Structures are given as C-alpha cells and as structure tokens.
Amino acid sequence: MSAPPTAATAQTAPDRVEREVVLRVTGLKKRYGPLEVLKGVDLTVERGEVMCIIGPSGSGKSTLLRSMNHLEEIDAGRVELDGELVGYRQRGHKYVTLPEKVLAKQRAKMGMVFQSFNLFPHMTVLQNIIESPVGVLGQDPKEAKKEAMALLGKVGLAEKAPFYPRQLSGGQQQRVAIARALAMKPRVMLFDEPTSALDPELVGEVLDVMKDLAREGLTMVVVTHEMGFAREVADSVLFMDGGVVVERGKPRDVLLNPQMPRTKDFLSKVL
Ligand SMILES: Nc1ncnc2c1ncn2[C@@H]1O[C@H](COP(=O)(O)OP(=O)(O)OP(=O)(O)O)[C@@H](O)[C@H]1O
Ligand SMILES: [Mg+2]
C-alpha cells in the first residue's frame, strides 16, 4: 500500500520531477581549419523533451547536430547518449574513435532527418524503411515490413509503399524519411530544418507528423526556423549564435521575452 501524498511529494510534481537525461553534450568544440564553429556547447535533453534550436545561418546548428551523432569528429568535449560516450572510447585522458561497426550501432539510436530527405532513389518507399532495421539491426525482414507498414500508416502514406521517392512530393518524401528514422526505434530524433526545402503548402503536413510524435513522447531535437512550431510544441528553445548557446529556456521566455540582446536582435528579424 502506498502512503498518501505528503506536502513534500506534492511539491515535486509535476514541474520539478527530475527526468532522465537522454542526451548530454558537454564542452563541445569543433573547428574546420582556422574556423572554430562550436566554441564549447553544453546542453542536456531529457526523455520526452522536444528541444528546438534556433539561430542565424552559420551559427553552427547543423554542425552541432552532426557532432551529436558523430557524423563529425569533435575537437573537445563529449557527447553522451543514455550515459554512454558517443563516437569514442576513453583511455585515460585519450579518446579513441570507435570502429565503424560500433558507430553504426550508436547512430542507430539517434534518428536523423535532414532538410534534403536523403532517401535512396533506387529503392521503393518500403525498401527505404526496412533497409537499416534489417541491415544494421538484423531484424527479421517480415517483421520489419510489418512495422514499416504501420509507420507508413502513421505518417499517412500506407498506399505509397511500392512507389519510388521520385514519384512522391517533397512533403511525402520527408514523411517517408521520418518513418525511416523511426523504424530504427531511436532514443532521440534529430531534425535539421526538416521543412525548409519544402513548398509552403507542404510544410504543414510534415509539422503535423512531428507534432504527433511530440505528443506521443518522442525525445526530439529540432533545428528549425518555424517559430510557430517552436512556440507550440517545444519544451525548451535554445538560441545559438557564433558557435555558443546564447540563451535557453521555455519557449514563452526565450521567444516572447528574450533576455540577451543577440536573441532579441535575431527574433526581431524572424518573427
Ligand atoms: N565541412 C565543412 N568544412 C568547412 N566549414 C564548414 C563545414 N561545415 C560547416 N562549415 C562552416 O561552419 C559554420 C557553421 O555551419 P553550420 O552548417 O553548422 O551552420 P548552421 O547554423 O546550420 O547554418 P544554416 O542555418 O545556414 O543551416 C559555417 O561558417 C560553415 O561555413
Ligand atoms: Mg544548418
């Protein structure tokens, strides 16, 4: 039998419940030659959190996402997923890059959706979705197909399974790309401006799918210029400029009542 709630437990709910950290980035630095693109980024993403990252072009948003799932080698700091170091094995003070096979398994835990869809053009929609679950995770093809059809239903494209990407609209292709990433059952989904290559009338259908995922409790990091989406869906908004996190907080604070001059300046141009 559980004890009745006390004043103390009542106080901790629901706002102050400590949620499990899924993704932790600490002191992340990344340079391309002389250009230091990320100058020490710290952030944490909790389970079920939707974090929107905003900021001017060139501020390092894509580089940050790419560094998170080790599509880039990093120069300093660390990325941890469920407490596990991503991309490297630590030997004393040294970091050794993990072998490609181990990296592939780690990346599978972070679904990535890009601006440009990146579907395999020579494969049907269904083949695109089952490729990695079967090839990387070793899932039974029949089971993978069943799950792929369910995912296609979820993004509203069940009837497109036998089609090729070129036969789909941009919005449909992006929804397939989301289903493909979800097929790996990732711990977190990383979206890099998923709607910015789309015609305006196709943006809504992709954002609607993302809203559904957020509602279902998927952990998401979304680089976006869609301020309406950020305001409506994000649990936290992070503003980046010049390779640093300038401001982070609840959408209503960062977007409607920003504290830092650089955030104010950026928002005055985009809102
Ligand atoms: N592979 C690369 N080699 C050299 N420089 C790069 C490379 N990738 C990115 N950069 C540089 O790093 C900086 C940050 O780029 P990044 O793509 O992360 O910015 P962003 O915030 O995503 O911008 P946008 O909003 O335009 O997508 C830019 O100055 C860019 O030119
Ligand atoms: Mg970018």
Side-chain angles (χ1 to χ4, degrees):
M1 204 166 61
S2 58
T6 62
T9 56
Q11 260 179 16
T12 59
D15 255 21
R16 304 214 202 137
V17 174
E18 282 231 351
R19 290 198 289 182
E20 177 191 351
V21 171
V22 174
L23 191 62
R24 187 188 299 279
V25 174
T26 321
L28 175 57
K29 292 187 181 175
K30 170 71 187 169
R31 58 167 61 246
Y32 293 111
L35 181 69
E36 191 170 46
V37 176
L38 300 177
K39 298 175 181 163
V41 172
D42 298 299
L43 62 86
T44 55
V45 183
E46 296 177 340
R47 190 188 170 104
E49 179 174 348
V50 177
M51 176 189 283
C52 283
I53 301 179
I54 61 172
S57 182
S59 57
K61 306 180 297 297
S62 296
T63 305
L64 174 60
L65 284 201
R66 293 172 54 78
S67 300
M68 281 179 187
N69 68 352
H70 201 74
L71 292 170
E72 302 284 352
E73 295 271 345
I74 63 176
D75 296 310
R78 51 199 289 144
V79 177
E80 289 155 283
L81 181 69
D82 290 331
E84 182 185 320
L85 191 61
V86 174
Y88 303 91
R89 193 175 46 214
Q90 196 171 359
R91 286 253 179 88
H93 291 297
K94 277 215 171 128
Y95 290 92
V96 184
T97 303
L98 289 168
E100 199 50 48
K101 243 178 124 173
V102 185
L103 286 177
K105 289 243 160 72
Q106 283 193 334
R107 285 201 192 101
K109 297 180 195 166
M110 285 187 256
M112 181 109 192
V113 174
F114 303 91
Q115 182 176 348
S116 52
F117 326 140
N118 295 5
L119 296 173
F120 304 118
H122 59 290
M123 291 184 189
T124 65
V125 163
L126 184 65
Q127 286 165 343
N128 261 282
I129 297 177
I130 67 170
E131 165 76 12
S132 289
V134 174
V136 177
L137 302 182
Q139 194 180 11
D140 168 53
K142 228 173 127 186
E143 187 64 24
K145 272 185 198 166
K146 209 173 111 196
E147 289 184 14
M149 289 310 298
L151 284 171
L152 279 175
K154 195 184 172 94
V155 300
L157 292 172
E159 77 286 4
K160 297 293 185 189
F163 287 76
Y164 286 87
R166 64 171 181 279
Q167 298 172 303
L168 272 55
S169 73
Q172 291 170 338
Q173 288 186 54
Q174 192 60 302
R175 286 186 279 151
V176 172
I178 292 171
R180 183 177 62 173
L182 289 172
M184 297 296 276
K185 303 186 182 74
R187 288 285 288 156
V188 55
M189 286 273 280
L190 311 177
F191 294 85
D192 193 357
E193 298 194 39
T195 59
S196 57
L198 299 175
D199 290 337
E201 73 269 25
L202 301 179
V203 168
E205 66 189 49
V206 173
L207 292 182
D208 284 345
V209 165
M210 293 170 64
K211 283 177 200 169
D212 283 345
L213 297 175
R215 243 176 259 128
E216 288 168 18
L218 185 70
T219 310
M220 297 160 65
V221 179
V222 186
V223 172
T224 188
H225 291 297
E226 297 289 337
M227 297 300 154
F229 176 84
R231 210 160 35 214
E232 189 185 337
V233 182
D235 297 299
S236 58
V237 171
L238 186 149
F239 172 66
M240 271 185 83
D241 193 13
V244 297
V245 175
V246 174
E247 192 161 351
R248 180 193 172 167
K250 290 200 164 24
R252 63 169 180 271
D253 294 330
V254 176
L255 298 176
L256 302 178
N257 188 22
Q259 298 304 304
M260 307 302 285
R262 278 199 279 177
T263 319
K264 286 180 194 172
D265 182 54
F266 173 75
L267 290 171
S268 72
K269 287 174 186 148
V270 298
L271 284 180

